[in-house]
Amino acid sequence: MTETYDRLMATASSLDPLDRHVLASVIAAARAEGEAPLTEALGLDRPTLHRLLEAAFPGACAVDDLVGTDATAGEDAIEEPDYRALLLDGRARGTETEDWLAHVVARRSLRPEHLWVSLGLRNRRELSDMLFRHFPAVAARNVRGMRWKKFFYREMCQAEGVYVCKSPVCDTCPDFGECYGTEEKG
């Protein structure tokens, strides 16, 4: 995983270094898993992955070195379009980087571990920083520090009028510890 990350980060780019770190981390994590083609693991089609690589990591590797010519983003899970819309509706600048991140975050949220782990980040703070930088209108609604994946799913459910909490107040819910608290790698 560190070999891929180091190779990507060894290049120079005008893209924000923090964004490069997030993108290199998730690409390295997805490659290390090897469960699906990189395009599917990231939720990006091949031309989009190519643009991302050229913008963030020019010359580090060709898209042909990472995925086959027939690689696609794969099928969306049922919640992915809503997830992307939630993020993009609250984005900061409307950049292509934000489009990439919305797709990647939505796809990686399908994985079973904490979202920051699924993205290959070192800690939850890196995820929070990226979300507040690129999707501030959404991130600011997480006023109590709910775990990000749970927060996003709760936001999508509430937008549909579905309330999944077992209690009208989170503090009295029997699952409080599952939604709030530290997300340290265990």
Side-chain angles (χ1 to χ4, degrees):
M1 190 162 112
T2 58
E3 181 182 324
T4 299
Y5 177 87
D6 291 344
R7 180 177 174 191
L8 293 171
M9 292 300 288
T11 63
S13 167
S14 61
L15 201 67
D16 183 286
L18 297 173
D19 294 337
R20 293 181 75 237
H21 165 68
V22 170
L23 293 167
S25 295
V26 72
I27 289 169
R31 285 198 73 205
E33 293 161 4
E35 297 169 10
L38 187 59
T39 49
E40 288 182 30
L42 300 177
L44 300 172
D45 62 25
R46 192 174 191 281
T48 303
L49 178 60
H50 176 73
R51 282 194 312 279
L52 182 157
L53 291 170
E54 288 300 308
F57 315 109
C61 53
V63 73
D64 292 338
D65 296 337
L66 300 175
V67 295
T69 57
D70 59 345
T72 68
E75 293 293 318
D76 278 349
I78 193 166
E79 68 268 30
E80 280 184 90
D82 292 336
Y83 207 127
R84 287 190 301 268
L86 171 71
L87 290 170
L88 293 172
D89 286 348
R91 63 184 163 182
R93 293 174 287 283
T95 64
E96 189 170 30
T97 300
E98 291 167 347
D99 290 335
W100 300 333
L101 289 168
H103 278 80
V104 168
V105 169
R107 181 61 55 93
R108 300 302 288 177
S109 288
L110 302 174
R111 298 195 48 80
E113 61 269 342
H114 293 297
L115 182 53
W116 64 269
V117 174
S118 299
L119 293 171
L121 300 174
R122 294 177 287 227
N123 53 54
R124 186 175 191 253
R125 171 72 6 219
E126 289 184 340
L127 172 59
S128 295
D129 290 347
M130 181 273 292
L131 292 171
F132 276 98
R133 196 169 55 252
H134 288 290
F135 309 104
V138 179
R141 293 197 303 260
N142 190 1
V143 295
R144 296 190 58 201
M146 181 180 259
R147 293 178 182 163
W148 285 113
K149 193 185 318 184
K150 288 189 178 285
F151 170 76
F152 291 133
Y153 277 92
R154 189 179 107 195
E155 288 284 302
M156 289 185 292
C157 288
Q158 287 178 345
E160 294 294 320
V162 176
Y163 297 91
V164 294
C165 187
K166 298 173 185 170
S167 175
V169 179
C170 286
D171 293 343
T172 61
C173 179
D175 291 333
F176 183 86
E178 293 297 314
C179 296
Y180 299 93
T182 62
E183 290 191 35
E184 300 305 318
K185 203 169 194 174

